[in-house]
Amino acid sequence: MTQDRQWMRAGEDDVRPPTDLRTDIPHPARMYDYFLGGKDNFPADREAAERALAISPEFRTGAQANRGFLQRAVRQVTGQGVRQFLDIGTGIPTAGSTHQIAAEVSPDVRVAYLDNDPIVLVHGRALLAGAGRGTATVIHADLREPEKILANAEVREVLDFDQPIALMLVAILHFVADDQDPVGIVRRLVDALPSGSRLVLSHATGDFATPEQVKQARALYSNSAAPLVPRSREQVAAFFEGLELEEPGLVTPPLWRPDAPLKEGDDRAPGWAAVGIKP
């Protein structure tokens, strides 16, 4: 692996759409992009996102809180010496994504972005093409197939599994159903990482919503490319079993090492977040 590669090799022919993008079906990655104010989404995504906002405006504030948590966590772990990131379910790499934040701290970072939405592959590779310092790539892969991720040649080209890696699972596991064994998926990924690696994870919750709001949200996402499975604080804590939690532990995303004054209701934001260290 070379030290001075571009963020993506300009001119690669794999920036072309690999499959039918199915723009007629809402996709969580594109809905998330819409919640963040992005433009890489389609009418079906925008319509579904607006229906979600009609259920609760916290879909947008929750997305923004998750993005803020990601940025603070990336700065934290990069500042602690971690130079590699395995970012799964990344969504479309818009401003303030993992590679940009990490490179502000250290220019020699390596980032492997993975997502199962073909449009993320197309847009991500186009956005990352061009000059830059460090190494990054965008790979089409599915979180529900951890063994394939770990064996992926592109992942292995970018990341050195003998050195600490930050596994980024930000706002993605609530799209994995219980019968797909999300805890087992996380365990298999973490087990493959060396000592000193980090798990950076956030997850939607219904702990602060009414039962009717949770029911409506799950019904809405049942018509998208992935289900929505909010989980309790206790259920989210299970993903960190065997890891040492960084302070302040498992909290709502705005409360994780805030860099701005907190607002009323931040302690009841619709999610849980933490960073765990592998012994």
Side-chain angles (χ1 to χ4, degrees), residues 74-85 105-106 108-109 163-165 196 198:
V74 168
R75 288 190 187 98
Q76 173 74 13
V77 301
T78 309
Q80 293 171 335
V82 176
R83 295 292 181 267
Q84 305 186 104
F85 295 83
V105 180
S106 176
D108 61 343
V109 294
Q163 299 297 322
I165 294 171
R198 274 36 173 203

Side-chain angles (χ1 to χ4, degrees), residues 146-214:
E147 286 78 14
K148 289 185 178 181
I149 290 174
L150 295 169
N152 186 285
E154 288 184 89
V155 172
R156 292 283 175 171
E157 180 186 0
V158 174
L159 304 181
D160 179 358
F161 278 72
D162 291 327
Q163 299 297 322
I165 294 171
L167 172 61
M168 310 288 294
L169 297 175
V170 177
I172 180 61
L173 281 162
H174 45 245
F175 298 120
V176 179
D178 289 336
D179 61 5
Q180 294 168 328
D181 189 19
V183 172
I185 289 171
V186 174
R187 190 77 66 247
R188 290 194 289 278
L189 290 169
V190 170
D191 284 349
L193 304 180
S195 175
S197 293
R198 274 36 173 203
L199 172 61
V200 178
L201 183 152
S202 66
H203 196 296
T205 187
D207 287 355
F208 310 115
T210 67
E212 182 60 26
Q213 285 176 319
V214 173

Side-chain angles (χ1 to χ4, degrees), residues 30-39 41 45-69 171 204 217 220-221 253-254 263 266 269-271:
R30 302 192 297 259
M31 292 172 65
Y32 191 74
D33 177 71
Y34 180 78
F35 291 140
L36 291 173
K39 301 184 183 302
N41 46 70
D45 308 306
R46 295 190 285 274
E47 181 182 346
E50 285 295 335
R51 290 202 304 271
L53 291 172
I55 296 171
S56 172
E58 290 187 346
F59 277 97
R60 173 167 285 139
T61 57
Q64 294 168 344
N66 270 295
R67 179 49 60 98
F69 162 70
L220 174 65
Y221 275 86
K263 300 187 295 293
D266 281 349

Side-chain angles (χ1 to χ4, degrees), residues 207-271:
D207 287 355
F208 310 115
T210 67
E212 182 60 26
Q213 285 176 319
V214 173
K215 178 181 178 180
Q216 290 177 358
R218 296 192 67 165
L220 174 65
Y221 275 86
S222 69
N223 296 317
S224 75
L228 177 65
V229 188
R231 294 187 169 96
S232 68
R233 187 180 189 279
E234 181 180 8
Q235 290 173 312
V236 176
F239 293 119
F240 292 94
E241 185 177 348
L243 304 180
E244 177 185 346
L245 291 186
E246 292 248 33
E247 291 293 339
L250 183 60
V251 295
T252 59
L255 298 188
W256 198 89
R257 302 197 176 202
D259 52 13
L262 295 173
K263 300 187 295 293
E264 183 178 355
D266 281 349
D267 60 333
R268 296 175 61 84

